[in-house]
Amino acid sequence: MSSSALTDLFPHPIVQAPMAGGVSVPQLAGAVAEAGGLGFLAAGYKTADGMYQEIKKLRGLTGRPFGVNLFMPQPEIADPAAVKVYAHQLAGEATWYDTELGDPDSGRDDGYDAKLAVLLDNPVPVVSFHFGVPSSDVLDSFRRAGTLTLVTATTVEEALAVQRAGADAVIVQGVEAGGHQGTHRDNPEADGSAIGLLSLIAQVRESVDLPLVAAGGLMRGSQIAAVLAAGASAAQLGTAFLATPESGAPAVYKQALTNPLFVRTELTRAFSGRPARGLVNRFLREHGPYAPAAYPEVHHLTSPLRKKAAASGDAQGMALWAGQGHRMARELPAGELVRVLVDEIEGARAALVGGGASS
């Protein structure tokens, strides 16, 4: 696929990242789409019907193209004994928040097949995948339905796998990104070896012929201009849209992005059992060093804790997913943020041209 087949769907090279857990609501995706970016719904942790209802709501808000993101089913790699030990370590948290721990065996496929059926019966313009590569048959089915497919990759090897499977584009995710790293296989031995976005774009660009969407720590138009110059066709931003009024993130979460109490981010398994970047808070500090490689078991286990923390406004017990640029978050309406980013992209390009002309 040529890059134009993707970028022709939206006037500006800005993709709003799908953020699961109630952040990427239809109001946010619709506002971004109406402003000329590509809005995204996150189907992760929702039922197939819940996803369908959000799609219907979004279609009522905009006639512009949008995307839906799916989580790939996960293989069984967790050590049940390690999960049980972690549950014991979390017993104090359950007491503190006056709730029970979740059932770690609540399911590992995230309703994948049912969601595929809905999206093939009621096609949307774009579908993206996280945590692995769909089969060629699935990707071919979407192509026949007129849906473009994107798959996240965090290494050159993963990007090559995306190309072999027949996806239309690769989301190149750098280590700077907030939320879960979209690695195709969760290998604890690879922890700490993730690649920065600009280096990853350069490496993938030399190995893969597909259009690239760059993701990871992007908060300003000048950064978007840089990844476009490096070979990306568009940029995907998540944390930048977290603080917008249309975002479904709780107020305490939005405030934490720029709160001086939260000065840095880390990749952690504390909340879900898979590496994900979040603001360093009490829960992450206390439990991160002991969390097992067990996704989605740990996600299910900690879910009631995180919900109670959010309901009580306790940022120290929440999974505050955020990229490395979180302190640059701006509390602008989503549509206005898209327009500001576009102005910054044009300004960065003009400065580059002007600098070249004067040298």
Side-chain angles (χ1 to χ4, degrees):
M1 184 189 77
S2 68
S3 60
S4 62
L6 175 66
T7 55
D8 282 353
L9 291 178
F10 44 106
H12 306 308
I14 297 169
V15 178
Q16 165 249 313
M19 294 169 280
V23 177
S24 295
V25 293
Q27 293 88 338
L28 175 58
V32 171
E34 284 295 295
L38 182 65
F40 251 97
L41 295 174
Y45 311 135
K46 290 184 174 68
T47 63
D49 183 64
M51 176 193 73
Y52 177 59
Q53 295 304 322
E54 287 208 338
I55 291 171
K56 285 206 304 183
K57 186 170 184 178
L58 178 53
R59 282 178 167 146
L61 296 173
T62 182
R64 292 181 179 272
F66 61 90
V68 175
N69 174 256
L70 300 180
F71 287 168
M72 294 295 297
Q74 297 300 290
E76 293 190 26
I77 64 165
D79 176 0
V83 176
K84 185 174 290 189
V85 168
Y86 193 54
H88 179 72
Q89 292 170 332
L90 295 176
E93 297 284 351
T95 300
W96 176 257
Y97 289 112
D98 191 24
T99 188
E100 299 289 329
L101 293 175
D103 178 5
D105 299 316
S106 296
R108 53 189 326 102
D109 70 353
D110 201 46
Y112 180 71
D113 288 338
K115 290 172 183 175
L116 288 181
V118 170
L119 291 169
L120 289 170
D121 285 343
N122 303 272
V124 299
V126 181
V127 171
S128 68
F129 299 85
H130 211 56
F131 298 147
V133 188
S135 69
S136 296
D137 288 345
V138 166
L139 295 172
D140 287 343
S141 295
F142 277 114
R143 183 170 294 108
R144 289 193 296 271
T147 297
L148 295 179
T149 53
L150 286 67
V151 182
T152 301
T154 63
T155 65
V156 172
E157 292 74 22
E158 290 179 351
L160 286 167
V162 173
Q163 180 168 268
R164 286 194 298 270
D168 293 309
V170 181
I171 299 171
V172 180
Q173 185 191 38
V175 70
E176 305 94 333
H180 285 92
Q181 289 282 296
T183 51
H184 295 181
R185 187 171 66 90
D186 185 11
N187 178 13
E189 295 179 1
D191 284 2
S193 64
I195 306 169
L197 180 57
L198 284 175
S199 294
L200 187 58
I201 293 172
Q203 293 174 37
V204 174
R205 182 73 286 155
E206 291 190 0
S207 305
V208 171
D209 294 328
L210 297 178
L212 309 183
V213 176
L218 304 174
M219 302 293 289
R220 295 287 187 266
S222 57
Q223 294 172 294
I224 297 173
V227 298
L228 295 177
S233 298
Q236 179 171 282
L237 289 73
T239 307
F241 286 102
L242 263 174
T244 64
E246 294 89 349
S247 157
V252 65
Y253 185 177
K254 295 180 180 183
Q255 293 159 5
L257 295 173
T258 53
N259 187 327
L261 286 174
F262 303 103
V263 297
R264 62 191 177 89
T265 63
E266 280 186 11
L267 287 170
T268 184
R269 296 179 181 271
F271 298 100
S272 73
R274 239 184 183 272
R277 183 174 297 282
L279 301 178
V280 176
N281 59 3
R282 177 195 60 78
F283 195 104
L284 190 156
R285 285 193 300 269
E286 293 182 2
H287 301 293
Y290 313 107
Y295 178 87
E297 287 85 353
V298 172
H299 163 78
H300 294 315
L301 196 66
T302 66
S303 179
L305 303 177
R306 292 180 278 120
K307 289 178 180 176
K308 285 299 288 282
S312 62
D314 181 8
Q316 296 297 338
M318 298 169 60
L320 302 171
W321 303 138
Q324 288 183 339
H326 66 95
R327 297 301 293 275
M328 301 169 74
R330 296 180 280 204
E331 297 180 16
L332 297 173
E336 183 179 344
L337 179 57
V338 170
R339 290 186 286 273
V340 169
L341 289 168
V342 170
D343 288 344
E344 291 174 347
I345 294 170
E346 293 173 352
R349 286 171 165 169
L352 185 62
V353 172
S358 62
S359 61

